[in-house]
Amino acid sequence: MNLDEKLNHWREATETLEPSETLLASLQATIDAPTPPPPSGLITLVKVLIITAIVGAIATGYAVVRSLNIRWSGSSVPVLVATAVDAGLPSCGPEPAPAELFALPGSEVVGGSWEEMRRKQLIDFRAQLEARPLTCLAQRRPLEQLLDMHAVSDAEATRLIARLGWLCGPSALPAYRLPQAEEPGSCDNSDWCRRPGCDLSTEPCALSWADRPATTCTARRGRAIALTFACVRFLRAEAPEAQPRAFARNPWCLDPAAVAEREFLRTHNAVKASP
Amino acid sequence: MTRGLTQPAPASHPVDHRSVKALEKEALAKSGALYRLAARLMGNSADADDVVQEAFVKAITGLRRGAFRGDSSLSTWLYRVLTNVALDRLRQLKQQGVAEPQPGREPASSSNPDAAVALRELADAMKELPEDQRAALVLKEVQGLPTRKVASILERSEGATEQLLVRARETLRRRLES
């Protein structure tokens, strides 16, 4: 059989391929996503400057708090970087105030360790998610806030997101590349390590699906997961089996146990202990 | 990397949202052809899903920003976006040292044993092609597009595209004969 005959066979063998229902649903969801209002140049510039200033202030404050090893006894640090991705997501409308549904317990853990607080919050949060799927913007924020606390291991974040049944592969909204990891030596697996890239202080950065392997390390990956897979539409709880094909191939999902709890704590504690 | 998306239309010519909607609908209608191209480029259905999803997001975003000006047909433009996404992905996989396709339904199979063997040999040989030669060969010989259209999709001259095809066929022939 010569080359042309082989190529012909290949063409015939692949001629009947069709996209799956899951993929088609995802493509339809992309079209159905609302178009964000086109910003004027000046408004865009002002927004970028404001967001940059806020992110810078939060990052500085957070770094100071971490260096002082302050224990959290209240609500988590708001993820203001997520505000810019809010455009296009539906508001929560007449639904009950999310704070009532997703209040992150913290006051009763005063005096406990980061680990204890994380576990309790994660258990509580998961219980609430089991009962109610994320369907709108404000409900997504608690997840991001939880992940942003570096209180969720990669395995937990992966299972949490898988449970939500997010349909997305690449996001229809701009996601954010996270600042360079501040945890030197925390990237034992080069596939997970942050590669040099965007400077968040100068521009909002895109974390596309193609950049997935280059996301940051350890706990920040939880936030990266949440932002990367931010969907305009979320799957309802009644169709949890419709996992995103692309997401199912995410190496963190295929083997969530690959990121051992111990490994996370080891690097987390190393960062806390460092000056 | 967002090659294939031309500069947005100037503000003095705002996008006609009705036509954008129509274009989006047309893009969705071409999802089957896009998926087949992705599967042929990537060699497996799982990667094809990823590529189609990402390309579609880029395409819809581009349509809404007026990146599609009608210089080519919509299908050529969509093929271009998808091919660029696929090429980026192939290069990334190569950088990561991922040589084998991810587990999943292989897109090309045959009940004829001889054909099945031939397909397997061809798939192995295709993996050794540089990404741009692979793309050119798939678009021309498998997708069945004319050279002019392949050149437009790859954003090369027809001469350069012919060169890619010649080199791709030579490499494949040598590999299959060895």
Side-chain angles (χ1 to χ4, degrees), chain A residues 46-107:
Chain A
V46 168
K47 278 184 183 173
V48 168
L49 289 174
I50 290 173
I51 291 170
T52 301
I54 291 172
V55 167
I58 292 214
T60 303
Y62 195 47
V64 167
V65 166
R66 287 190 66 187
S67 68
L68 295 176
N69 197 23
I70 293 174
R71 292 207 172 112
W72 290 98
S73 62
S75 58
S76 61
V77 175
V79 182
L80 292 187
V81 292
T83 55
V85 303
D86 294 349
L89 277 175
S91 68
C92 288
E95 294 183 71
E100 294 160 8
L101 292 170
F102 295 99
L104 298 178
S107 56

Side-chain angles (χ1 to χ4, degrees), chain B residues 10 14 18 44 50 67 81 100 123 142 164 168 176:
Chain B
R18 281 178 307 165
N44 67 89
D50 285 357
V81 173
E100 297 298 320
V142 188
L164 280 179
L176 291 169

Side-chain angles (χ1 to χ4, degrees), chain A residues 118 122 146-147 149-154 156-157 160 218-219 222 264:
Chain A
R118 170 174 69 84
L122 189 62
L146 184 64
L147 296 176
M149 288 180 68
H150 292 205
V152 179
S153 72
D154 295 311
E156 293 282 16
L160 197 64
T218 61
F264 167 74

Side-chain angles (χ1 to χ4, degrees), chain B residues 35-55:
Chain B
Y35 178 75
R36 280 187 285 283
L37 175 57
R40 286 160 173 167
L41 286 170
M42 302 306 297
N44 67 89
S45 54
D47 280 329
D49 278 0
D50 285 357
V51 163
V52 170
Q53 283 195 345
E54 182 168 350

